[in-house]
Amino acid sequence: MSTASSPIPVITIDGPSASGKGTVAERVAAALGFHFLDSGALYRLTALSAMKHGVALDDEAGVAALAARLPATFRGGSVWLENENVTDAIRAETVGEGASKVAALPAVRAALLDRQRAYCQLPGLVADGRDMGTVVFAGAVAKVFLTASAEARAGRRYKQLIEKGNSASLTALVADMQARDARDSARTVAPLKPAPDALLLDTTHMDIESAVQAVLAHYHSKQ
Ligand code: DC
């Protein structure tokens, strides 16, 4: 964070699922040579770990204990949990659903806080999530809130699933998207909402490259 106490620049990109923020954040990080934090992956790993260990997703203390000692590593483009390659497994809709449930538990969010902040290293960080600009990196130099209509986001997810050879229902995806948005926005801890000082970027009619350029321009305007 670019403050007197810490010279490390942080760019936060928050928004609902399938808004394109993951791709945008990764490209912005690559353009600047910054580190990249996919905080949603940590919630997905926590949910997957709970499922594997038979811990109920509403068992706050049990799930928080797993989150606090999450044996997960990121190597190159892949994600490992207890020596198992879970890169694809954490992207499953069931795991995303589980992640949204465990993310509503305050003790789980607290257990993941230090791990997320440890990513703040020179030359800088681009952090992707729901509460990066409001909670985890509230002092970030540049904050962006990326949105798109539920229909546009469901359409993008549909395309991804079909391209991977999965079957999918667009109507069901729109409904899932709306249910997850409602849960992520209504929870009492760190709900999905723009930081007061965030740039709002609606990508419903915008391609990825234009969104990347808009984020970079916003960051440079803050320097
Ligand atoms: O971005 P994603 O779809 O991988 O996130 C999965 C879930 O994790 C999502 O439903 C909300 C939750 N999440 C969160 O609560 N806070 C974050 N910083 C990132 C994700």
Side-chain angles (χ1 to χ4, degrees):
M1 285 167 254
S2 237
T3 61
S5 57
S6 161
I8 302 171
V10 177
I11 302 174
T12 59
I13 305 187
D14 291 304
S17 58
S19 57
K21 67 189 160 50
T23 312
V24 171
E26 249 182 312
R27 291 203 197 172
V28 169
L32 296 168
F34 282 11
H35 299 280
F36 169 60
L37 166 63
D38 172 3
S39 61
L42 296 176
Y43 288 96
R44 286 173 182 269
L45 283 160
T46 302
L48 184 61
S49 180
M51 290 165 175
K52 282 185 185 296
H53 287 95
V55 175
L57 296 179
D58 60 356
D59 172 358
E60 184 163 4
V63 180
L66 287 176
R69 55 175 178 78
L70 200 60
T73 45
F74 295 81
R75 295 179 218 152
S78 45
V79 188
W80 296 75
L81 182 63
E82 292 171 85
N83 296 321
E84 187 187 340
N85 186 335
V86 295
T87 315
D88 291 333
I90 60 163
R91 297 294 151 202
E93 288 300 305
T94 47
V95 177
E97 183 76 6
S100 173
K101 287 181 185 156
V102 300
L105 307 172
V108 172
R109 302 199 74 83
L112 290 175
L113 210 48
D114 286 347
R115 188 166 189 147
Q116 295 173 84
R117 289 186 173 146
Y119 279 79
C120 182
Q121 289 180 19
L122 284 169
L125 172 70
V126 180
D128 155 14
R130 303 292 189 290
D131 62 340
M132 299 294 98
T134 49
V135 177
V136 183
F137 301 107
V141 63
K143 301 180 184 180
V144 176
F145 193 82
L146 215 75
T147 53
S149 68
E151 290 73 16
R153 291 184 285 120
R156 289 171 192 171
R157 183 57 53 83
Y158 180 80
K159 207 168 149 244
Q160 281 172 356
L161 289 169
I162 297 296
E163 276 168 7
K164 282 190 192 159
N166 299 306
S167 62
S169 149
L170 191 56
T171 321
L173 282 171
V174 174
D176 285 355
M177 206 68 79
Q178 285 167 337
R180 194 173 318 170
D181 286 356
R183 184 163 47 228
D184 292 345
S185 307
R187 69 181 179 219
T188 43
V189 273
L192 172 65
K193 65 161 193 234
D197 50 347
L199 169 77
L200 297 182
L201 209 58
D202 185 335
T203 66
T204 305
H205 304 292
M206 200 185 258
D207 63 17
I208 294 286
E209 193 45 39
S210 314
V212 169
Q213 292 309 322
V215 175
L216 286 170
H218 180 58
Y219 170 59
H220 291 308
S221 77
K222 294 285 182 179
Q223 288 180 308

